[in-house]
Amino acid sequence: MPTPAADLAGEPFTLGVASGEPLADSVVLWTRLAPDPADPTGGMPDELFDVAYDVARDEDFTTVIASGLAIADSDYAHSVHVEPGDLEPATTYFYRFRIGEHVSQTGRTRTLPAEGTDPFRFALTTCQDPQFGEYAAWADIAADDELDAVIFTGDYIYELPPLDFSPQGDGRRMWTTPPPADLAGFRARYAQVKRDPSLQAAHAALPFLTMWDDHEITDNYWADGPGQFDSAGGDFAARRAAAYQAWWEHQPARAPAPTAGTHTLHRSVRVGDLAEFFLIDTRQFADEPPCRDTSAFDFGAGCDERDDPDRTLLGDDQAAWLTAGLRTSNARWTSLVSPSMFAGLDARDPGGVEPKYYLEAWDGYPAERARVADALADAPNPIVLSGDYHASFVLDVGPGFGRDVICPEVMATAISSSPFATDYTAANPHVQYFNPDNGYTRCTVTADRWQADYRSVGDIWNPADPLETVASFEFPAR
Ligand code: FE
Ligand code: CA
């Protein structure tokens, strides 16, 4: 029996509302009841609650097209995930949640088109460590009325210890909890991040397609173990299971919740006849990065082990799904959304002679990358989107691993995480653009061209910083 709402300890919608996983006829709506978000329980009793939701065509809710009740369960941190169906394609909707006298802020979302090649505009985003900056990029995205969606490629939280210094002096955005080792620890990190008003505004304005990378669990982890720098230690499988569950509890993700420490998150999303996006998971099923006995932080000179043809970043099932999907895609554009750089980067010391690579990303798995590249080359108008690096790039995919140019790669910089400023362009002629500023990439996709506008933050400590477009690239369709 759900508990009467009168038992709530205060305003429950402190973490905002969100929508995600849009299709042509449905979208997932999310909130979480947390009157005391800093508490591991969210300030909620260990009971079930009924939460009402409304979906309308107008912001004033005069034309409600769906209403219902959803259960908020303490087993899932009193998060709510509802997926109203029978929506119209390419249509804007408004939604809200209600419990007792409490009404959430109003969210806006949009379904995808069912057909046609109308323009599609989205923000490509990644990496939002709050310790290194304010979220002006999210405020900029929230205010952009032309956008249709957000694609987030990972590092929504970081599991790292709080910094032992405050980059801007007053400590106001430091992690307040130690590296998460269990469900309560991961929930605390999400609750801290999701208090940010600009992030809440972006979620309330646009549907998100979200993929995780490593820091939602632990730095540079692979299927069965952590990276070489592991903050929390302890039983890895149990920690991974807790991390996956906390991720799901705090995202507008489709049910079911992760079970038994696994969660299938790779998927393809079709935007009418214009584009098909393949979102891939490069951590959950990955082999251990190569040469850990001779590298630190999974970075170093090349090693024979990385050339083993059987090594996998995707796992065999996901790799088979991806290559078959790329080969049979028949939208105008085919986009591989990779949490980390696909084109590869020789990160040798500037002026140095010995090539060096990030071995936990695609450069540590060249044989599988070649198989994915073959499939990409067979797809209509391929383009790779990526994040993770904490710098903006445009790259040619192919020459970085000994091939002709296959397609462009558009890599978004970090929303706020500390930029990696070393410029490796001299040793990497396939790098067309590099910029270590924070920000995001705004993409405009039409039948004829894919435009990528690089939006940069000026002052990362000003939450109202006006972003500027500092570079634009156009990739014509063939
Ligand atoms: Fe990151
Ligand atoms: Ca990452």
Side-chain angles (χ1 to χ4, degrees):
M1 255 318 259
T3 306
D7 288 7
L8 289 187
E11 163 58 41
F13 298 110
T14 57
L15 303 180
V17 299
S19 72
E21 300 306 311
L23 297 174
D25 63 353
S26 75
V27 65
V28 176
L29 309 177
W30 173 94
T31 193
R32 180 187 159 199
L33 307 179
D36 183 2
D39 189 89
T41 66
M44 293 291 291
D46 184 11
E47 291 161 11
L48 302 176
F49 289 83
D50 274 335
V51 181
Y53 65 91
D54 305 311
V55 183
R57 290 293 302 272
D58 66 301
E59 205 164 355
D60 298 325
F61 291 86
T62 50
T63 318
V64 173
I65 57 101
S67 282
L69 289 177
I71 293 282
D73 186 339
S74 58
D75 286 352
Y76 295 102
H78 295 99
S79 62
V80 176
H81 298 76
V82 295
E83 190 170 357
D86 293 327
L87 303 180
E88 298 294 321
T91 300
T92 296
Y93 291 95
F94 298 87
Y95 62 94
R96 67 187 176 195
F97 297 93
R98 293 179 282 113
I99 181 166
E101 77 273 24
H102 305 286
V103 182
S104 75
Q105 50 271 70
T106 294
R108 182 184 68 186
T109 191
R110 189 165 172 82
T111 50
L112 297 179
E115 56 185 11
T117 55
D118 286 348
F120 182 67
R121 298 178 183 87
F122 65 95
L124 180 67
T125 62
T126 179
C127 293
Q128 55 169 356
D129 189 338
Q131 299 186 124
F132 288 98
E134 294 281 353
Y135 287 168
W138 283 128
D140 191 70
I141 290 165
D144 187 338
D145 284 336
E146 287 189 339
L147 292 173
D148 297 297
V150 170
I151 296 178
F152 187 86
T153 66
D155 292 357
Y156 195 97
I157 60 161
Y158 284 78
E159 88 295 355
L160 300 168
L163 295 172
D164 55 9
F165 65 101
S166 173
Q168 105 287 22
D170 67 8
R172 91 185 108 115
R173 285 172 74 82
M174 308 291 281
W175 294 121
T176 58
T177 55
D182 56 17
L183 194 50
F186 283 103
R187 284 171 173 169
R189 288 284 168 110
Y190 283 98
Q192 186 177 347
V193 164
K194 291 185 79 73
R195 293 301 305 276
D196 184 275
S198 298
L199 176 60
Q200 289 194 10
H203 274 297
L206 293 160
F208 276 45
L209 289 164
T210 303
M211 178 50 69
W212 53 34
D213 190 29
D214 55 336
H215 287 291
E216 285 87 347
I217 296 85
T218 185
D219 182 54
N220 290 356
Y221 87 97
W222 56 286
D224 297 323
Q228 290 165 309
F229 177 76
D230 190 22
S231 299
D235 178 59
F236 176 75
R239 184 161 34 128
R240 193 184 94 161
Y244 284 8
Q245 178 169 331
W247 177 90
W248 185 87
E249 289 170 349
H250 293 86
Q251 300 294 343
R254 196 163 280 126
T259 49
T262 66
H263 189 58
T264 302
L265 198 56
H266 59 271
R267 58 210 190 273
S268 66
V269 178
R270 194 174 165 115
V271 179
D273 302 310
L274 181 66
E276 186 166 11
F277 294 86
F278 291 82
L279 292 95
I280 57 171
D281 176 347
T282 56
R283 303 288 178 181
Q284 184 174 186
F285 311 109
D287 286 339
E288 187 169 17
C291 297
R292 280 193 158 167
D293 51 342
T294 56
S295 67
F297 300 100
D298 295 308
F299 174 74
C303 58
D304 292 343
E305 187 187 346
R306 81 186 186 115
D307 293 320
D308 179 342
D310 295 329
R311 291 175 40 69
T312 181
L313 193 61
L314 301 173
D316 293 344
D317 290 351
Q318 184 182 195
W321 163 84
L322 177 63
T323 52
L326 292 172
R327 285 208 163 87
T328 54
S329 178
N330 60 1
R332 182 78 173 146
W333 295 90
T334 305
S335 182
L336 173 64
V337 183
S338 172
S340 60
M341 184 187 287
F342 186 77
L345 190 74
D346 175 354
R348 70 179 68 189
D349 304 327
V353 294
E354 186 181 36
K356 290 184 176 176
Y357 298 101
Y358 294 99
L359 298 168
E360 36 74 49
W362 283 103
D363 277 329
Y365 305 76
E368 184 170 74
R369 175 170 56 190
R371 293 191 289 273
V372 174
D374 286 341
L376 259 185
D378 286 347
N381 290 306
I383 182 168
V384 177
L385 308 178
S386 58
D388 166 63
Y389 193 99
H390 306 185
S392 297
F393 281 87
V394 176
L395 308 107
D396 292 330
V397 173
F401 47 93
R403 303 273 292 263
D404 291 340
V405 177
I406 295 166
C407 68
E409 175 168 346
V410 168
M411 174 181 268
T413 188
I415 291 279
S416 61
S417 302
S418 179
F420 281 83
T422 306
D423 187 347
Y424 296 113
T425 306
N428 295 272
H430 63 291
V431 173
Q432 303 296 340
Y433 176 67
F434 168 77
N435 178 353
D437 293 346
N438 289 107
Y440 69 98
T441 305
R442 185 186 194 275
C443 290
T444 303
V445 188
T446 69
D448 297 332
R449 67 191 174 89
W450 190 298
Q451 181 174 334
D453 296 321
Y454 286 77
R455 304 274 294 157
S456 274
V457 177
D459 175 6
I460 192 63
W461 290 109
N462 175 10
D465 182 84
L467 275 70
E468 286 180 42
T469 297
V470 294
S472 292
F473 293 82
E474 272 197 24
F475 308 105
R478 290 195 291 261

